[in-house]
Amino acid sequence: MSELEEYISNLEGLSNNLEEILYATVKKNQGKILTMVKLRLFNKGVDGSGSLISPKYAPDTIFRKKKKLLRTSHVTLRHSGKLYKSFIVEFKNNNIFIATNVGYKQDLIDQYGLDIFNLTLNEIRTILYSFFEPEIQKELNKVQNIDLTDEVL
């Protein structure tokens, strides 16, 4: 096998393992990804599309949250902390989203929409450029280098 054939074969192997590499990268960075999402929800009250989560809290919810000194300026999806603690990052079919196993997940989706569990464009870009790209570069660096400097073209 020539150097070029070996190089191409190594690239094909990388391509065949790309989904596995990305999955491992998501798992490795799950804490960082979840922190981004939780901070967005708590500090901004926006869903994955970048829209404010609505409808706003009902007056009785605001009353209860104020008694507990919890944020009421926007929907945070945080009351007891159970939902936030249950978040996990899923990577399936080349898509990343937040999953949870709380019993009231469907109620949240019915009230606020599925986008509450999606990532924003900025979060996706952070994952692509800060997490995926360095890992893919590491793998590319493992592929045998071909030195063509001595070749006459």
Side-chain angles (χ1 to χ4, degrees):
M1 182 182 289
S2 73
E3 280 190 67
L4 180 57
E5 289 171 326
E6 187 174 344
Y7 184 79
I8 291 169
S9 175
N10 288 342
L11 285 176
E12 288 171 343
L14 175 61
S15 176
N16 292 336
N17 294 326
L18 191 57
E19 188 172 344
E20 186 178 307
I21 293 165
L22 298 180
Y23 177 82
T25 303
V26 167
K27 289 302 172 195
K28 175 181 168 185
N29 292 286
Q30 177 169 272
K32 293 175 185 174
I33 295 168
L34 290 176
T35 297
M36 284 190 301
V37 172
K38 291 173 186 179
L39 286 173
R40 169 182 40 92
L41 290 170
F42 188 77
N43 292 333
K44 298 179 181 177
V46 298
D47 62 21
S49 71
S51 300
L52 278 175
I53 299 172
S54 64
K56 293 183 178 190
Y57 288 130
D60 61 319
T61 303
I62 291 173
F63 178 76
R64 283 181 299 177
K65 286 179 82 77
K66 281 186 176 182
K67 281 178 68 174
K68 291 186 170 192
L69 302 175
L70 297 173
R71 176 170 269 170
T72 59
S73 58
H74 56 266
V75 175
T76 64
L77 301 178
R78 190 172 198 299
H79 188 72
S80 68
K82 182 178 178 181
L83 177 65
Y84 280 29
K85 287 177 189 170
S86 74
F87 282 166
I88 59 169
V89 180
E90 291 285 339
F91 180 71
K92 291 182 182 173
N93 302 321
N94 294 323
N95 196 9
I96 302 170
F97 55 93
I98 305 304
T100 180
N101 60 2
V102 293
Y104 51 90
K105 174 185 173 182
Q106 191 58 51
D107 295 336
L108 291 171
I109 292 170
D110 292 344
Q111 184 165 5
Y112 299 115
L114 190 57
D115 275 342
I116 60 172
F117 296 113
N118 290 333
L119 301 170
T120 65
L121 183 56
N122 283 340
E123 290 163 348
I124 291 169
R125 286 178 177 158
T126 298
I127 293 166
L128 291 175
Y129 301 120
S130 297
F131 305 145
F132 283 176
E133 202 167 87
E135 290 299 322
I136 292 168
Q137 190 60 51
K138 281 183 199 174
E139 294 299 320
L140 281 172
N141 290 341
K142 291 178 186 176
V143 174
Q144 180 181 352
N145 291 319
I146 298 176
D147 184 6
L148 298 177
T149 55
D150 294 334
E151 298 291 324
V152 178
L153 299 177

